[in-house]
Amino acid sequence: KDRPDWCLSRQRTWGVPITLFVHKQTQELHPRTQELIEAVANRIEKDGVEAWFDLEPRELLGADADAYEKVTDVMDVWADSGLSFECVHHTHPDEVKSPVDIYLEGSDQHRGWFHSSLLMSEALYERAPYKSVLTHGFTVDEKGIKMSKSLGNVIEPKKVMATSGADVLRLWIAGTDYANEMSLSDEILKCVGESYRRMRNTVRFLLGNMAGFDPAKDQVSPDQLVALDRWALWRTEQLQEEVVAAYRNYQFHLVYQKVHNFCSVDLGGFYLDVLKDRLYTTPAKSHARRSAQTAMFWIAEAMVRWLAPILSFTAEEIWRLMPGERNESVLLNTWVALPQGAAQRPQIDWDTVLRVRSGVMRELEKLRNANSIGAPLDAAVDVYCAPHVLQVLQPFGEELRFAFITSAARVHRADSRPAEATPAEEGNEDLAWVVARPSAAKKCVRCWHKREDVGGSAEHPELCGRCVSNVTGSGEQRRYI
């Protein structure tokens, strides 16, 4: 009742012609109306919509032309588009039910398509034509100025696709909060390209290290996985719930942020970094390596589906290279169900492990900056722990060094720490203290760890004890890392 406009759009002739002939006196439609509409449609198909306005009634009506007049009214374009929900429902009744799930358009359509559709549906059915409405802002340059050819600040999508690929463009728009105006520039696209490569390279690492892995034969059962692999699958399961929820709420920028963070922090910054030693040094078919490959397989199965709605071309490429039998397209699949029991909450307090590891990494960086070491494996660390931290780290035993990527790692009670020990967390003396130093032991040429037992084998004088076992024996056993 408060609508100020008497018509749907502008008060002018603007829309689709209503191709009718009506009697000048009675205003009744011509008795051959359906036939005449078909004849007009044929002309418009050939000569365009102006064919109606140029048409002389006598051309179609003959002797009736004097009694009938051509209707010059138009179907208002907003009324026309406002009925799209009705037309689509009738032309695709099995696919589209009314009210439709969602209307998607720019923020300028609140007074346009969204509004005219609402008016039409209210008139017909006394309800809205849609269950939800999703609106987005418009593309602006890095200064917030609307893109315009006259200003010369337009970035052509074709140019981006030619230089960076369509998926980088898709990732930019997915990573942008579309509720506001969306900034685009060459510098922004450069940053997006780096993010794209981070995710792509993460999957490349997974695929490369699954060479020779047949999921039908080589998978390790969930209860037999190395503890770190169970943590990785648990983290994947938790993230999948967040990713699916973000997709369902059309929060595509959260999908981008969460998956990119997963690749950068959880995988690249910890899991895959630690996993390299096990993948590269243990026997190809050993339990330790198959456990890692099992976890990577399921992580890749989940990730390729997370990426598919956004990085569609990349996801298809990944899909073709994944081990195991699969159908023709990743887009024909649903979210992956991780193996039952594989993604249960870990009993190990990995958050504490990661907090201590962060402190160790900081101390190793100091040694590297002082040119005391070249890489973390050149160092050995001692960690002096508060009682609750000692309880977490002590069970790892010899495997703790793999978490820190050092050649040796030992844990002690905090009250025995030396004066040079540094808190693992700045300002927190209730976690752990760290002492890192260069290792004086010999370097194994195979795993690059500096170990006291290098040279203990006459047959392999340049290898450490575990590498000798991995090369000639049954291979080392991994329980935790």
Side-chain angles (χ1 to χ4, degrees), residues 87-245:
C87 300
V88 174
H89 169 59
H90 282 291
T91 55
H92 300 77
D94 296 331
E95 301 172 46
V96 181
K97 306 297 181 184
S98 187
V100 299
D101 290 322
I102 188 169
Y103 263 46
L104 168 65
E105 248 290 1
S107 54
D108 62 336
Q109 296 304 314
H110 285 284
R111 284 196 71 250
W113 185 44
F114 300 147
H115 201 168
S116 65
S117 299
L118 182 63
L119 290 173
M120 288 296 183
S121 186
E122 283 289 345
L124 288 168
Y125 303 114
E126 297 185 349
R127 59 162 169 74
Y130 34 66
K131 297 177 184 176
S132 58
V133 169
L134 186 68
T135 62
H136 58 79
F138 294 90
T139 306
V140 297
D141 64 18
E142 69 271 22
K143 298 178 181 178
I145 300 173
K146 183 179 177 181
M147 288 195 168
S148 168
K149 288 184 178 180
S150 61
L151 295 176
N153 63 345
V154 172
I155 294 179
E156 290 286 346
K158 285 185 177 181
K159 180 181 177 182
V160 178
M161 289 189 285
T163 56
S164 304
D167 276 356
V168 169
L169 193 64
R170 293 170 66 89
L171 186 60
W172 160 70
I173 193 64
T176 304
D177 185 357
Y178 56 77
N180 304 302
E181 307 291 35
M182 296 165 286
S183 298
L184 180 61
S185 68
D186 291 333
E187 189 61 32
I188 290 172
L189 286 171
K190 181 180 177 182
C191 293
V192 172
E194 292 172 358
S195 298
Y196 168 77
R197 282 186 289 277
R198 163 67 74 174
M199 292 186 278
R200 181 184 176 89
N201 289 340
T202 299
V203 181
R204 282 185 65 187
F205 182 91
L206 296 174
L207 292 173
N209 283 282
M210 284 191 285
F213 177 76
D214 183 351
K217 299 186 300 182
D218 300 328
Q219 282 196 66
V220 174
S221 61
D223 60 328
Q224 296 299 313
L225 289 170
V226 172
L228 182 62
D229 299 329
R230 286 200 298 273
W231 170 85
L233 290 180
W234 171 77
R235 182 71 191 95
T236 302
E237 177 84 357
Q238 300 304 303
L239 182 59
Q240 177 155 286
E241 293 178 4
E242 297 173 16
V243 167
V244 172

Side-chain angles (χ1 to χ4, degrees), residues 44-66:
I44 290 177
E45 185 176 12
K46 180 182 178 183
D47 300 321
V49 73
E50 291 300 320
W52 168 251
F53 298 105
D54 295 337
L55 177 69
E56 288 293 331
R58 193 170 299 278
E59 296 177 36
L60 294 180
L61 301 184
D64 289 343
D66 293 335

Side-chain angles (χ1 to χ4, degrees), residues 26 38-39 57-58 61 67 100 133 177 188 205 208 211 233-234 291 306 320 326 365 376 406 418 431 436 462:
T26 67
E38 291 293 335
R58 193 170 299 278
L61 301 184
V100 299
V133 169
D177 185 357
I188 290 172
F205 182 91
L233 290 180
W234 171 77
S291 175
W306 301 343
R320 291 194 297 270
R326 50 199 64 246
E365 188 63 25
T406 55
L431 181 69
E462 296 182 299

Side-chain angles (χ1 to χ4, degrees), residues 18-57:
I18 300 173
T19 56
L20 301 174
F21 295 94
V22 296
H23 197 277
K24 292 179 180 179
Q25 301 299 324
T26 67
Q27 294 297 297
E28 293 291 329
L29 294 178
H30 194 284
R32 293 191 294 115
T33 289
Q34 189 60 48
E35 176 189 332
L36 294 171
I37 288 176
E38 291 293 335
V40 173
N42 289 334
R43 293 196 175 203
I44 290 177
E45 185 176 12
K46 180 182 178 183
D47 300 321
V49 73
E50 291 300 320
W52 168 251
F53 298 105
D54 295 337
L55 177 69
E56 288 293 331

Side-chain angles (χ1 to χ4, degrees), residues 240-478:
Q240 177 155 286
E241 293 178 4
E242 297 173 16
V243 167
V244 172
Y247 270 125
R248 287 176 175 164
N249 291 316
Y250 311 109
Q251 295 175 311
F252 308 115
H253 64 291
L254 293 184
V255 175
Y256 163 80
Q257 292 170 8
K258 289 176 183 293
V259 177
H260 182 263
N261 190 68
F262 181 63
C263 292
S264 301
V265 179
D266 296 308
L267 297 184
F270 176 50
Y271 179 63
L272 298 182
D273 198 27
V274 169
L275 208 61
K276 290 174 184 176
D277 183 88
R278 190 165 16 129
L279 290 168
Y280 301 164
T281 65
T282 59
K285 298 181 181 180
S286 66
H287 171 268
R289 193 164 185 274
R290 290 305 194 202
S291 175
Q293 289 179 314
T294 299
M296 290 192 300
F297 170 74
W298 287 108
I299 292 171
E301 284 280 22
M303 275 193 64
V304 69
R305 291 163 168 82
W306 301 343
L307 298 175
I310 298 171
L311 304 181
S312 306
F313 299 100
T314 302
E316 293 287 24
E317 185 180 0
I318 296 167
W319 189 252
R320 291 194 297 270
L321 298 172
M322 287 280 292
E325 293 185 9
R326 50 199 64 246
N327 55 18
E328 61 183 306
S329 172
V330 63
L331 297 171
L332 299 177
N333 297 270
T334 56
W335 307 117
V336 70
L338 295 174
Q340 189 172 7
Q344 291 179 343
R345 177 177 289 276
Q347 295 180 342
I348 296 172
D349 182 1
W350 287 101
D351 286 341
T352 294
V353 176
L354 287 167
R355 289 168 65 192
V356 174
R357 183 178 187 270
S358 179
V360 170
M361 295 295 106
R362 190 164 54 251
E363 292 305 301
L364 294 176
E365 188 63 25
K366 292 178 183 178
L367 290 179
R368 187 185 292 109
N369 291 337
N371 294 320
S372 299
I373 63 172
L377 286 176
D378 293 336
V381 297
D382 288 277
V383 182
Y384 298 86
C385 312
H388 69 284
V389 179
L390 188 66
Q391 190 176 10
V392 173
L393 299 185
Q394 208 163 34
F396 285 94
E398 272 293 308
E399 292 188 38
L400 186 61
R401 62 184 168 120
F402 301 123
F404 301 152
I405 317 182
T406 55
S407 286
R410 292 179 291 270
V411 294
H412 316 271
R413 289 167 46 186
D415 56 14
S416 65
R417 70 181 183 272
E420 68 269 22
T422 303
E425 283 186 345
E426 294 181 2
N428 181 9
E429 299 184 359
D430 296 326
L431 181 69
W433 298 72
V434 179
V435 175
R437 66 188 186 283
S439 174
K442 290 182 180 180
K443 182 177 182 178
C444 173
V445 298
R446 184 172 182 271
C447 70
W448 295 6
H449 285 244
K450 290 188 172 183
R451 304 293 293 173
E452 298 294 338
D453 59 358
V454 172
S457 168
E459 186 181 357
H460 299 284
E462 296 182 299
L463 302 187
C464 66
R466 75 178 182 110
C467 278
V468 172
S469 172
N470 286 327
V471 170
T472 64
S474 58
E476 65 180 302
Q477 301 298 312
R478 295 286 186 92

